Amino acid sequence: MIDESVATTQTPVRAAEFFAGIGLVREALEPLGVQVVWANDIEKAKRDAYAANHDASHFLLDDVRKVTAENLPADIELATSSFPCVDLSLAGNRLGLVGSQSGMFWEFARILEEMRKQRPRAVLLENVHGFATSHGGKDLSDALTRLSELGYSCDVIAVDARHFVPQSRPRMFILGIRGGVVPGAQTGIPPVSDVRPEWVQRVHARHQHLAMHYLPLPRLPEGPHDLSGVVERMDTSDPRWWGPDRVAAFVESMSPLQTARLQALRDSEGISWRTAYRRTRNRVSMWELRRDDIGGCLRTTGGGSSKQALVELGKGEVRVRWMTPLEYARMMGAGSYKLTAGTPNQALFGFGDAVVVDVIKWIGQHYLLPVLRPQVVLQAA
């Protein structure tokens, strides 16, 4: 691991944050010596949350389709892009990169092309695993081809946030590097590892005709096993807990298997927590508890199964309520984030649409800094 005190004594890495949202990429990378000097998003509520936690004087609130290279400051070394996943997600419409949301990748690529000689040394793209299978893999191939045309050698990795926070949130990352050999990088097909499972290995294998590389990475940490560090403790009389009738309807909507799971936890001597989603099975709305003790993937709060409930069980009791903005923040590795901007629902939306701080920080420590500041790695070793 890189010593952050060493990293911050070096010349900062100047970064641009596309699709910045509420600023969790910046939250992750700035302690490592990365200086975000430009950010962009189209949603004012997200910009307001960003401004409540970071200097937003450089934040451009506008449609990325209106952004040109002239809007960015000079000497950008790193560009990050968490472009929308709506059209790539298995839970979405699967329009892929021709969709109006996920198609924003092409706007990011357009701006990179316009930057020409000022093009960043590194790019970091984040999206769902569905990106790899969208249109039979063609969308990912098209994206990797475009980045290769722009001079980037690409690496693909996959990280589930459960290695850092109690949330199952699998995401894939494309790391593009230009302007020379990456220190320690290798070419060819990478061995299978926790960040490069077989499906990622196949992505590398299918694209050997492009500029591709892989950087050996350490094993991911084990991660927390339950929600105890996330749950916001509140008295049983707190009005946010659902009333008896609503809890009864919640339980009655469950399948026999789900009911048995709930009853076993309810009758245990200790207190435990589970998250639950509302699902539609055979056109019937039902509640389902997660099998394990961590949370499901947080999503934007748009109705249906998108909103996650917290269930407290044990000592013969069942209590249910919606998860709070603070719990969302903790599950995204941003428990100290100020939640003063916007409504509670806007906070849930912002966190559900963001990156996990600890994941980005890990990538920054073990990948971005070794590429962009190799001398820091040598000093900290």
Side-chain angles (χ1 to χ4, degrees):
M1 183 175 294
I2 293 169
D3 184 342
E4 294 178 15
S5 65
V6 174
T8 55
T9 63
Q10 308 301 307
T11 303
V13 173
R14 289 170 57 83
E17 191 179 3
F18 289 80
F19 311 99
I22 63 174
L24 295 196
V25 168
R26 178 173 178 174
E27 183 76 5
L29 294 181
E30 280 203 333
L32 304 181
V34 174
Q35 180 184 12
V36 175
V37 296
W38 183 89
N40 164 250
D41 204 283
I42 194 173
E43 295 188 33
K44 183 179 183 301
K46 291 181 178 178
R47 184 264 178 200
D48 290 346
Y50 187 106
N53 291 275
H54 301 289
D55 174 17
S57 59
H58 63 272
F59 195 109
L60 177 62
L61 180 66
D62 207 345
D63 189 329
V64 71
R65 290 171 291 190
K66 298 179 181 179
V67 175
T68 68
E70 294 179 352
N71 296 124
L72 278 77
D75 301 324
I76 299 294
E77 294 181 79
L78 169 66
T80 68
S81 174
S82 298
F83 63 101
C85 68
V86 173
D87 304 308
L88 298 169
S89 171
L90 296 178
N93 55 40
R94 297 298 274 172
L95 290 175
L97 294 187
V98 300
S100 61
Q101 297 293 313
S102 299
M104 292 299 102
F105 164 81
W106 299 113
E107 297 300 323
F108 175 65
R110 170 188 59 79
I111 296 166
L112 289 178
E113 181 176 25
E114 291 176 358
M115 295 175 79
R116 302 186 187 281
K117 293 182 179 181
Q118 291 290 317
R119 212 164 283 159
R121 163 84 162 137
V123 294
L124 171 65
L125 290 80
E126 177 263 357
N127 217 286
V128 294
H129 284 190
F131 190 9
T133 57
S134 179
H135 290 154
K138 183 178 183 301
D139 284 332
L140 179 56
S141 290
D142 288 348
L144 292 173
T145 297
R146 187 71 187 104
L147 291 171
S148 181
E149 292 170 348
L150 292 169
Y152 290 96
S153 174
C154 291
D155 191 357
V156 177
I157 64 173
V159 181
D160 192 331
R162 68 187 305 158
H163 290 278
F164 301 91
V165 294
Q167 178 192 178
S168 174
R169 193 180 186 87
R171 292 293 186 266
M172 63 171 290
F173 299 86
I174 300 174
L175 293 115
I177 311 297
R178 68 186 302 272
V181 177
V182 178
Q186 301 180 34
T187 58
I189 302 171
V192 170
S193 66
D194 54 358
V195 295
R196 296 187 184 90
E198 290 184 0
W199 70 266
V200 171
Q201 187 187 57
R202 289 193 294 270
V203 168
H204 279 265
R206 286 196 300 267
H207 297 93
Q208 289 300 297
H209 61 289
L210 301 176
M212 298 287 291
H213 69 273
Y214 66 93
L215 191 67
L217 293 167
R219 287 191 61 83
L220 294 168
E222 186 173 338
H225 297 287
D226 60 47
L227 295 165
S228 59
V230 162
V231 174
E232 186 176 356
R233 306 300 198 269
M234 57 185 69
D235 192 82
T236 57
S237 63
D238 193 294
R240 286 173 288 185
W241 291 113
W242 296 354
D245 291 345
R246 192 174 182 183
V247 173
F250 171 87
V251 176
E252 289 169 5
S253 78
M254 292 182 165
S255 68
L257 177 63
Q258 289 284 323
T259 301
R261 182 179 299 158
L262 180 141
Q263 289 174 343
L265 293 166
R266 178 199 63 192
D267 297 338
S268 63
E269 294 182 0
I271 298 294
S272 62
W273 297 274
R274 289 288 192 279
T275 59
Y277 276 123
R278 194 166 45 228
R279 306 291 194 194
T280 299
R281 306 293 186 189
N282 299 319
R283 299 183 179 179
V284 177
S285 180
M286 307 176 70
W287 280 97
E288 295 183 356
L289 290 176
R290 273 191 69 92
R291 295 186 183 90
D292 56 16
D293 289 352
I294 67 171
C297 183
L298 299 181
R299 302 173 187 172
T300 55
T301 49
S305 65
S306 62
K307 202 170 181 181
Q308 199 160 175
L310 182 80
V311 187
E312 186 174 273
L313 303 132
K315 299 181 179 180
E317 299 289 337
V318 177
R319 282 179 285 274
V320 188
R321 59 173 171 78
W322 294 118
M323 293 191 73
T324 67
L326 177 58
E327 289 165 343
Y328 266 51
R330 288 171 175 171
M331 288 183 73
M332 297 301 290
S336 61
Y337 230 53
K338 297 176 184 176
L339 305 173
T340 54
T343 66
N345 206 53
Q346 286 173 332
L348 298 180
F349 190 98
F351 284 114
D353 202 28
V355 297
V356 172
V357 171
D358 305 77
V359 172
I360 301 300
K361 183 176 288 188
W362 187 87
I363 293 172
Q365 289 175 327
H366 299 291
Y367 207 120
L368 296 175
L369 280 187
V371 168
L372 298 172
R373 293 292 183 272
Q375 70 274 16
V376 175
V377 179
L378 292 174
Q379 290 178 30

